[in-house]
Structures are given as structure tokens and as C-alpha cells.
Amino acid sequence: MEGIKETNFHFPNQTGFYSGKVRDIYFFEDKLAMVATDRISAFDVILPRPIPYKGQVLNQIAQKFLKATSDIVPNWISDAPDPNVSIGLKCDTYAVEMVIRGYLAGHAWREYKEGKRVLCGVALPEGLKENDKLPEPIITPTTKAMEGHDEDISREEILAQGIVPESEYIQLEKYTRALFQRGTEIAAEQGLILVDTKYEFGRFNNEVYLIDEIHTPDSSRYFYKEGYEDRQAAGEKQKQLSKEFVRQWLIENGFQGKEGQQIPTMTDEVVQSISDRYIELYEKVTGEPFEKQSGTNVAERIQKNIKNYLAKH
């Protein structure tokens, strides 16, 4: 099966369209249809080839976890008329992403390794190793860039610049910690550690809503719980489920999204291995078998299912 790289649909009463790094969003008066394509991005760059089933994996994991956290904070999703599609409320998005980290990994570790001991205004203790558990989870927000790179930002800068009013930001922090705690508990049931993740929020009718996706391999990093302590003690790499393996493959092939660097060639074998890893992640994180949607023309199926849904609602 070929992955779906882009969609170019036109629906009755459509008011707008936005193509993000991974999702294509169709806007209507008070709702939107979010299509999870099979595009894959790393270092804020969209890679040249789509990954079959990736969109379905992301969409279905997000739906499962949005449902599992709806008692903590209301979320935007109302329906899922297709394995790659979520339909829900059109919220006014906060211009920050709430990143929360329970362990020193990924970007945080790369910063720490360079000698930084303050990340987004949060002080980190000396003497930590890569993938060590932090004394307590820390929130390290980023700006939400429409184009280019998201940038680290501190709580103090967010409030000083008036990006989010203080009372609302306190609410976002509270939700972020509660969601991370719930995600940690769900992961533990599957023998996993939720290492770090990000949440996005918006407003609808003056109420805060959780939007976008949560606890997916694109927004989160997981370690296998079994053997974590032994691997840390031995100074070994952690066995993980995340998009980090894609970043590592790019780094090994001389690409980190910097100017002048060429994206390495993605062979059929590379594409297949990434697809397999996403499916593995789905099954490990949800504890359920992944059901591949059959059919060659994915875009046609998606368009038809959205159209049918809109006709009835």
C-alpha cells in the first residue's frame, strides 16, 4: 500500500483549509475535519516519502487517549467517520505547546549535554545521565510556529509577552500535569514508561479544550519498563518506542534539519521499517491488535467518508 501524502478535497460549506506537517485540516463554520495523512516530519522538516498506515496509527491512538482523559479536561473530538479522520470543534488555539518531561531524553538531553542547566526557565540538577528520571516532571513549553521551528520559551516569557493570560496558563499547567499522570498510569499498564509528551489546548465558548492528538508516537516518547533500571545502571541505550528512531536514522545519515544538509534517500526498506515500527507502537501502547485498512485508494475512501458524514450532520 502507498501512503497518503496529501489531500486536496473540496466539501460543501467548507470555509478554509490548512496543511500542517502531518495533518490536513478542513474548516467549517463551527467544526473542523482533521485528516491524519501518512506524511512524516523530523527536525521540523517533512520527509519526502509518506509512511503507510502512519496516519491511521496516530489518529486511532489519539482518539483512544482523548476518550480516556475526557474526565480531566473536555476535548475537541466529536466523531471519527474514517480511520484517518477526526471531526470536532473548531477551537481558538493557544499559541504555545505544553511539553512535559518526566525523564532527561531527546531535546532536553541534547541541551543538558551542551552544559545548559536551565531549560525553559526550569533549573535542572547536576550529575544527570541521558534518560535518567527527573526528580519530578517539568513543563518546558514551546512557541507554536505556523512555519519553521518551534522555539523553547519559559513560563515567565509567556506571561510577560501576554501570549497566554496568567489565570489561563495556570489552568493549562494543571491540565498538563493531570494528563501526564493519567498517561503515565495507562503506559505502565502496558509495560511502558511515558518519558515525555506535549499537549495543545484551545478555547471554545470561553472554555479550555484539549485539542490535536495526545500520547501518540509523534507527540510522545515511551521506554520499555522492563530492564529500564538495568540499562540505566549499565549506561546502555534505552529500548524505546517513539519517533526518535527516525531522528537517529537521519542524524546517522548526516541530517539534522540544518541549512545545506540533504535529506537522505528513503528506500522502500526504510519506509517499510518505519511503518512496521509505528504499527508495533500502536499495539504496545494500546494493548490492541492493529487492523490495517485495506484498499489502495486511501484518499478516495477518506473523501467519501467525510462527505457522507457532512451530509448527515
Side-chain angles (χ1 to χ4, degrees), residues 20-257:
K21 292 185 191 105
V22 172
R23 289 168 201 76
D24 288 349
I25 303 170
Y26 294 86
F27 295 98
F28 303 89
E29 192 180 344
D30 61 349
K31 61 178 172 243
L32 57 84
M34 186 183 278
V35 179
T37 71
D38 295 322
R39 292 194 294 272
I40 185 165
S41 76
F43 300 115
D44 289 324
V45 175
I46 297 168
L47 303 186
R49 292 186 63 182
I51 307 300
Y53 302 110
K54 175 182 175 285
Q56 185 189 337
V57 164
L58 293 192
N59 198 49
Q60 292 185 331
I61 291 178
Q63 286 167 3
K64 183 181 176 70
F65 286 123
L66 285 167
K67 197 173 178 183
T69 55
S70 60
D71 60 318
I72 295 172
V73 54
N75 65 67
W76 73 281
I77 284 187
S78 55
D79 285 290
D82 183 274
N84 286 64
V85 178
S86 294
I87 289 181
L89 297 172
K90 186 168 75 175
C91 300
D92 293 323
T93 307
Y94 286 103
V96 292
E97 293 185 353
M98 300 296 282
V99 180
I100 182 164
R101 305 173 183 278
Y103 294 74
L104 187 65
H107 169 68
W109 165 247
R110 288 191 279 271
E111 295 284 286
Y112 191 90
K113 193 168 63 169
E114 285 178 13
K116 292 182 186 172
R117 293 296 178 269
V118 177
L119 187 62
C120 301
V122 182
L124 294 168
E126 290 289 345
L128 294 177
K129 304 193 307 294
E130 183 176 12
N131 302 329
D132 271 354
K133 186 173 184 179
L134 296 169
E136 62 179 54
I138 62 170
I139 293 175
T140 58
T142 68
T143 56
K144 192 165 162 48
M146 293 301 275
E147 285 179 20
H149 295 270
D150 297 336
E151 300 287 345
D152 287 348
I153 190 168
S154 68
R155 180 189 206 274
E156 291 68 31
E157 288 168 323
I158 289 167
L159 300 181
Q161 293 174 32
I163 297 170
V164 183
E166 186 170 11
S167 60
E168 291 171 41
Y169 190 76
I170 289 167
Q171 186 73 66
L172 299 190
E173 286 184 321
K174 190 179 158 194
Y175 282 147
T176 296
R177 293 192 186 282
L179 289 164
F180 189 67
Q181 179 59 35
R182 178 70 55 82
T184 298
E185 290 161 8
I186 294 170
E189 287 167 15
Q190 302 301 329
L192 297 170
I193 294 168
L194 179 58
V195 177
D196 52 38
T197 191
K198 72 179 175 73
Y199 303 111
E200 296 184 43
F201 296 93
R203 288 180 71 77
F204 188 86
N205 284 346
N206 291 320
E207 191 175 2
V208 176
Y209 279 77
L210 179 59
I211 61 170
D212 201 51
E213 62 175 19
I214 68 163
H215 301 161
T216 72
D218 274 21
S219 66
S220 317
R221 189 187 320 267
Y222 293 91
F223 290 156
Y224 284 85
K225 204 156 106 183
E226 192 183 340
Y228 166 80
E229 300 285 359
D230 293 342
R231 283 188 287 272
Q232 277 306 94
E236 294 171 4
K237 287 272 183 203
Q238 284 300 330
K239 194 177 173 201
Q240 63 171 294
L241 282 172
S242 73
K243 206 169 65 171
E244 187 66 21
F245 72 92
V246 178
R247 294 187 199 99
Q248 286 303 327
W249 174 76
L250 290 167
I251 290 168
E252 284 161 20
N253 286 275
F255 184 79
Q256 288 188 65

Side-chain angles (χ1 to χ4, degrees), residues 23 68 73 80 282 286 307:
R23 289 168 201 76
V73 54
Y282 174 92
T286 66
K307 212 170 182 178

